[in-house]
Amino acid sequence: MRGTMLYGPRDVRFEERPDPTIIEPTDAIIRISAACVCGSDLWPYRGIEPTTQPRPMGHEYCGIVEEVGSAVKNIKPGQFVVGSFFASDNTCPNCQFGYQSSCMHRQGVGGAQAPLLRVPLADGTLVATPGVPSADLIPSLLTASDVLGTGWFAADAANVKPGSTVVVVGDGAVGLLGVLSARQRGAERIIAISRNASRQKLAREFGATDVVAERGDEGVARIMDMTNGIGADSVLECVGTQEAMMQAIHSTRKGGYVSFVGVPHGVELNGEGLFFAHVHLHGGPATVRRYLPELIDLVWNGKINPGKVFDLELPMAQVAEGYRAMDERRAIKALLWP
């Protein structure tokens, strides 16, 4: 088969690779129905994360099960499934606490920007949909694999409740679906931080009541002005930079909640500053597997349409253009069809 490989900064190739095979009896092989480029893929693409050797790319996926190992009991060939970027057994203590992305036996899932994908720990990682979906549902189901699950985790970790005031820092796919998630959890006021007109429009479609263009200290001052000097009940940090983290913490009311789901790059917290901020801080790799049944149900029954976050569709062979478009902020998120 041909699949996506990253050789170095801005060097993405769609080239011949061996077909994946069953290695462990707990594996499954799925035929990808759709994949996409993730914002976190841009860190190695830009060279911020070093690439020491060519590596297969892609960790957001959904598709049809083609083959399962001898120990797989619940996932069957022919099922349409969605999985997480971390494989988990869904039985260890961490999984039982709801933190499957810190499974004691977790494995990374990579190489999804290709026609076929090997998924370890298939019974614990994959969730089947009620049937094979129509083509129009596939983009939204794909988001559940990562960006929707991550936005949902961000809202959950920030304790978003009915009637609350929420700030979402970041207007990428995760931030926009954090807005959608906050709306689904009953937030009354949702302030999206964005300078991009098309992203602002989509944020409002997903439920944002206000949009703030200012960032950093100016952004904090604007939020404080909008909340009568109090700050927001919940702030979702969906970027992973120092400026975004500081804006999130300083925009939160005393006793409020900050979640951080953007992979941190260069983020350092001052102990004394955090001590006097008086906020709850919780984040990490999103516990996507915990939410998959609920998110699939919401999509399947037409309650949400997170697939709107894809604003560029390409055949997988043109994956390099998808990376370029997202890198240059010409696209929020690129959807790849086999």
Side-chain angles (χ1 to χ4, degrees):
M1 69 174 187
R2 297 176 70 202
T4 304
M5 298 290 288
L6 178 69
Y7 277 77
R10 293 180 170 80
D11 185 1
V12 170
R13 308 177 195 177
F14 194 67
E15 63 181 22
E16 290 294 327
R17 285 171 44 197
D19 287 4
T21 59
I22 299 291
I23 298 174
E24 300 292 338
T26 50
D27 290 349
I29 303 296
I30 68 172
R31 182 164 294 279
I32 296 296
S33 296
C36 56
V37 180
C38 181
S40 62
D41 291 334
L42 296 180
W43 295 108
Y45 178 76
R46 291 167 173 162
I48 297 170
E49 287 180 10
T51 298
T52 57
Q53 61 184 17
R55 57 168 158 172
M57 296 297 289
H59 55 263
E60 299 180 66
Y61 58 95
C62 61
I64 303 287
V65 179
E66 289 221 331
E67 183 183 0
V68 298
S70 59
V72 178
K73 304 302 181 186
N74 301 320
I75 297 299
K76 311 292 183 185
Q79 288 181 317
F80 187 95
V81 293
V82 184
S84 171
F85 48 81
F86 276 129
S88 59
D89 58 26
N90 209 31
T91 59
C92 81
N94 290 348
C95 288
Q96 293 302 298
F97 290 132
Y99 285 81
Q100 292 92 336
S101 52
S102 284
C103 175
M104 297 171 74
H105 305 105
R106 80 177 185 185
Q107 299 180 48
V109 179
Q113 294 165 8
L116 294 168
L117 174 69
R118 170 182 168 261
V119 180
L121 303 172
D123 273 339
T125 304
L126 300 173
V127 177
T129 58
V132 176
S134 58
D136 62 307
L137 281 184
I138 288 175
S140 287
L141 289 169
L142 175 60
T143 66
S145 180
D146 185 349
V147 285
L148 174 59
T150 300
W152 201 270
F153 173 64
D156 191 7
N159 198 38
V160 175
K161 293 181 176 180
S164 58
T165 295
V166 178
V167 170
V168 180
V169 181
D171 64 357
V174 170
L176 292 167
L177 293 178
V179 169
L180 180 151
S181 301
R183 173 58 66 200
Q184 285 293 307
R185 294 177 67 88
E188 182 175 328
R189 190 178 193 188
I190 303 171
I191 304 168
I193 309 298
S194 174
R195 292 174 175 172
N196 183 286
S198 62
R199 298 178 188 222
Q200 291 173 352
K201 181 176 182 292
L202 189 53
R204 291 191 182 277
E205 285 186 41
F206 282 154
T209 56
D210 303 271
V211 172
V212 168
E214 294 87 350
R215 296 179 183 174
D217 291 341
E218 291 183 0
V220 172
R222 183 81 178 103
I223 297 299
M224 285 298 174
D225 181 62
M226 295 171 70
T227 57
N228 298 316
I230 298 169
D233 301 305
S234 303
V235 181
L236 286 56
E237 194 281 289
C238 303
V239 181
T241 64
Q242 182 75 14
E243 181 184 67
M245 180 66 88
M246 291 301 99
Q247 182 172 355
I249 291 171
H250 295 148
S251 297
T252 308
R253 67 166 173 81
K254 302 305 179 185
Y257 293 77
V258 175
S259 64
F260 59 105
V261 297
V263 180
H265 287 79
V267 176
E268 295 184 0
L269 300 179
N270 175 274
E272 184 177 358
L274 188 60
F275 183 79
F276 285 104
H278 236 154
V279 300
H280 301 78
L281 188 62
H282 182 41
T287 57
V288 170
R289 176 59 182 84
R290 187 204 312 180
Y291 307 116
L292 273 178
E294 181 179 6
L295 298 179
I296 288 171
D297 182 71
L298 287 169
V299 169
W300 195 266
N301 291 297
K303 302 291 181 62
I304 57 174
N305 185 12
K308 288 182 178 180
V309 79
F310 294 111
D311 56 348
L312 177 63
E313 297 189 23
L314 296 167
M316 206 170 283
Q318 295 178 27
V319 62
E321 171 56 21
Y323 275 83
R324 283 192 295 269
M326 288 178 60
D327 179 41
E328 297 165 6
R329 288 181 66 85
R330 291 185 284 112
I332 301 169
K333 196 162 181 67
L335 177 65
L336 305 174
W337 297 103

